[in-house]
Amino acid sequence: MESRLEIADVAQEFVTFLTQGSPPNIQAEAARYVLGLTGSETGRSLLASQKGLLQALAKLLEAPPGAAAGAVGDAWRTLVNLCAEPSIHGSLLAALPGLPSQLLARALAPNWPWAGEAAAALANLSREAGAFRELLEDGGLESASDKTYQEPGLARLVTALTTPGYNPHAPLHYLASLLSNLSQLPEARDFLLDPNRHLIQRLLPLIHCPDSAVRRMGVVGTLRNCCFEHRSHEWLLGPQVELLTFLLMPLAGPEEFSEDEMDRLPIDLQYLPPEKEREPDADIRKMLIETIMLLTATAPGRKLVKDQGAYLVLRELHNWERDPNVRLACEKLIQVLIGDEPEAGMENLLEVSVPPDVEQRLQQLDQQEQQQLQQEREEALQSPSRLDGLGPS
């Protein structure tokens, strides 16, 4: 009991030190110490239990630009680290009601110097369903309009993410992670996939963003989530969006094709320069393949993917790929493209009901595959060798 009282007394002292009226050097030292506590799980849990201290930090976050910059910056970094700990999200949101909406407002403020930290904290926090559900319901992402920008909040998020120089003082890469998390909700996907809003088309160029793997990962994750809406597949694959071209481009290399094969590819994928490089991040390559796989879940989607020469790009990728997880994903997609069509009643793979015993068996097979991949990875580290690619069967 005494230790708890001591902790409470120390926390109260830090509340005093962190207030905006404290001397700048004392305030900065206190903020630096609190930030250091977030370096361990124990420290993060301790901070999450101190409501008064959290509220003092929240007030410091709102300090005007230029005021106690060091202390404010450390306060923002503290919040990023706290939001990265899922086990304390409940305590954090209980102490700071409305935190997701507050963070969103700062992340989307065009000149706020800590907008990047606000976006990162919100991306961490929105991994939990409750937090991003609050954004949709209270933060107005789905329907409410900002009086200054006159557009719904979710559209503003896309605008901030896709507008060069939107905030010249802060990178906003983690807005893409936030968007990916939000797109797990059906209502967010419906909003993004509204053909009249043209939001998906604005996101597509960011698949190739050279400045940030975080931004590319978030955008591809958003697109993958949207592809669970199979009723939008034909629109996504059609001339209004041309999603497949954008998904295949990072997977394509400088390989040459015969004239007949070249004619099967979309125009933008023909005659790529010899210096063309593939997406360097293996996780993003895997996610791109998974997104294309989702687009093949329906018969019309499979036909459109096949007709646009996806197999040719995937064949060359498989020859080049060294990551076993990406290779496996590539092989599964190739089998879909070159295999027979599903039997009657199973044309839409996203709507097929899998019996429990079959699902359990599939999970066992997946575990066996993962174990085999791990063994192959260990063997490859000891004796690397080139693996041949797949060909049509």
Side-chain angles (χ1 to χ4, degrees), residues 2-3 97 144 195 197 213 215 226 239 245 247 279 284 301 339 344 346 385 392:
E2 292 181 358
S3 61
R197 297 187 185 276
R215 189 175 292 231
C226 285
T245 298
L247 297 176
E279 164 59 52
I284 297 178
M346 300 185 66
S385 61

Side-chain angles (χ1 to χ4, degrees), residues 3-250:
S3 61
R4 290 184 180 181
L5 290 174
E6 290 174 0
I7 290 171
D9 289 342
V10 171
Q12 184 56 47
E13 288 186 25
F14 272 96
V15 169
T16 303
F17 297 152
L18 289 170
T19 58
Q20 294 185 31
S22 298
N25 61 323
I26 298 297
Q27 194 179 59
E29 192 65 31
R32 189 178 305 114
Y33 180 81
V34 172
L35 174 60
L37 289 176
T38 64
S40 68
E41 183 178 351
T42 301
R44 293 189 292 272
S45 297
L46 172 63
L47 289 175
S49 68
Q50 302 301 315
K51 182 177 180 180
L53 186 56
L54 291 174
Q55 292 175 341
L57 280 171
K59 289 181 180 179
L60 190 56
L61 299 177
E62 294 299 318
V72 176
D74 283 345
W76 275 106
R77 285 183 279 273
T78 295
L79 187 63
V80 172
N81 292 347
L82 289 175
C83 290
E85 184 69 58
S87 63
I88 65 173
H89 282 181
S91 300
L92 198 58
L93 292 172
L96 304 173
L99 179 62
S101 298
Q102 177 189 6
L103 290 175
L104 181 67
R106 286 308 180 193
L108 296 181
N111 291 300
W112 187 252
W114 309 109
E117 283 76 8
L122 198 48
N124 287 337
L125 194 61
S126 65
R127 294 173 184 171
E128 301 292 314
F132 56 70
R133 175 68 65 182
E134 178 183 329
L135 279 176
L136 286 179
E137 294 175 353
D138 298 334
L141 276 172
E142 187 177 25
S143 58
S145 296
D146 182 278
K147 293 181 180 180
T148 302
Y149 296 91
Q150 294 299 312
E151 64 178 345
L154 192 52
R156 277 193 64 203
L157 198 161
V158 174
T159 294
L161 188 60
T162 58
T163 303
Y166 177 89
N167 186 332
H169 308 293
L172 299 175
H173 304 312
Y174 282 96
L175 286 182
S177 302
L178 169 61
L179 188 62
S180 179
N181 292 341
L182 289 170
S183 64
Q184 295 177 48
L185 296 174
E187 52 266 52
R189 295 197 296 270
D190 289 344
F191 188 95
L192 291 169
L193 289 167
D194 185 342
N196 296 318
R197 297 187 185 276
H198 303 282
L199 296 177
I200 291 293
Q201 292 91 325
R202 292 165 61 186
L203 290 171
L204 293 178
L206 297 183
I207 296 176
H208 315 298
C209 173
D211 300 330
S212 171
V214 170
R215 189 175 292 231
R216 298 196 305 275
M217 176 77 79
V219 169
V220 175
T222 300
L223 295 171
R224 181 182 62 177
N225 289 340
C226 285
C227 286
F228 279 98
E229 302 295 332
H230 62 84
R231 292 174 182 83
S232 295
H233 284 185
E234 291 184 65
W235 174 71
L236 289 168
L237 289 166
Q240 288 184 289
V241 182
E242 296 183 332
L243 176 59
L244 186 62
T245 298
F246 285 90
L247 297 176
L248 288 174
M249 183 63 78

